[in-house]
Amino acid sequence: MKSREQRILELLTEIDGQTDRQLTDKIYGKETHPSSINAECNHLAQIEKITRKKVAGVYRNFLKESLVQNSEKIEIPKTVYQPLSEDYLKAILHDLLVHQGWDVNVAWGKTKGIDIDAHRGNERWIIEVKGSGSLQPMRVNYFIGVLGELLQRMDDPNARYSIALPDMKQYRGLWERLPKLAKNRTSISILFVKEDGTIEEVF
């Protein structure tokens, strides 16, 4: 049986820079306090297996030194810690893309511009993001709004274009009802993001 420290290292290999809370949710579940993971991450840092860095008031755990250095340049708003908020999704996508070798620019909070503009060699991936919203009518507006925002960004014929939304039944239904012809003509995909960081891309 693998030790918890081995499991932590495996999870950081998948997505580097995770918080103690994120690691706790994946190893123990959401009802568990992160104090145990905190102790194990501190031990891993002491034996120089990982580096712990405080970003926006919360410690993140890194395997790669390059990500630790990059984290110093990122100003992450407090809304990133509100589950399934727009910034929460941006943080998850940022971590995944960086792990996959992308150079990622994120428009945090109310910053104007492309939500996520990622580059990797000759590749470019533009992603517009919306959060969960509190009411069903709000989610319909979010869905229509994020599609409109992405269409206005479609000025690079070589780029890949996606919208990202929380993995919720209503959002899946709205995507399924979007005509197939519209999806094919625009080549837009949707990224369904779960609270635990799991991402599913659907075309």
Side-chain angles (χ1 to χ4, degrees), residues 101-115:
W102 294 83
D103 183 12
V104 185
N105 294 312
V106 180
W108 299 106
K110 296 181 180 179
T111 304
K112 294 182 179 180
I114 298 170
D115 284 343

Side-chain angles (χ1 to χ4, degrees), residues 132-158:
S132 60
S134 57
L135 300 170
Q136 289 190 358
M138 183 184 295
R139 295 183 194 117
V140 173
N141 290 335
Y142 278 2
F143 183 77
I144 295 171
V146 77
L147 283 173
E149 289 169 6
L150 189 66
L151 289 172
Q152 293 181 65
R153 308 292 187 198
M154 297 183 77
D155 57 2
D156 183 347
N158 299 313

Side-chain angles (χ1 to χ4, degrees), residues 19-22 24-25 28 32-40:
T19 65
D20 292 357
R21 177 72 268 169
Q22 289 172 315
T24 300
D25 290 350
Y28 294 110
T32 303
H33 192 275
S35 57
S36 178
I37 289 293
N38 178 275
E40 287 157 354

Side-chain angles (χ1 to χ4, degrees), residues 17-107:
Q18 295 187 67
T19 65
D20 292 357
R21 177 72 268 169
Q22 289 172 315
L23 293 169
T24 300
D25 290 350
K26 293 173 182 178
I27 295 174
Y28 294 110
K30 299 182 185 299
E31 302 302 320
T32 303
H33 192 275
S35 57
S36 178
I37 289 293
N38 178 275
E40 287 157 354
C41 287
N42 281 329
H43 179 252
L44 286 169
Q46 288 173 1
I47 62 177
E48 299 183 348
K49 292 286 187 181
I50 66 172
T51 300
R52 284 170 64 76
K53 173 73 177 179
K54 202 168 189 178
V55 181
V58 176
Y59 277 101
R60 288 180 172 267
N61 303 287
F62 297 90
L63 286 175
K64 296 181 180 178
E65 182 62 29
S66 61
L67 292 187
V68 179
Q69 295 171 355
N70 288 339
S71 73
E72 296 175 354
K73 304 174 186 178
I74 300 172
E75 293 184 3
I76 302 178
K78 292 181 180 180
T79 49
V80 79
Y81 307 112
Q82 297 173 5
L84 299 183
S85 68
E86 182 174 320
D87 282 327
Y88 186 92
L89 267 63
K90 288 177 182 176
I92 290 173
L93 292 164
H94 170 271
D95 291 351
L96 177 64
L97 290 167
V98 168
H99 177 69
Q100 293 177 343
W102 294 83
D103 183 12
V104 185
N105 294 312
V106 180

Side-chain angles (χ1 to χ4, degrees), residues 174-185:
L174 289 166
W175 177 254
E176 289 172 2
R177 290 196 293 275
L178 189 68
K180 187 175 181 180
L181 179 61
K183 297 172 186 174
N184 292 339
R185 289 281 177 87

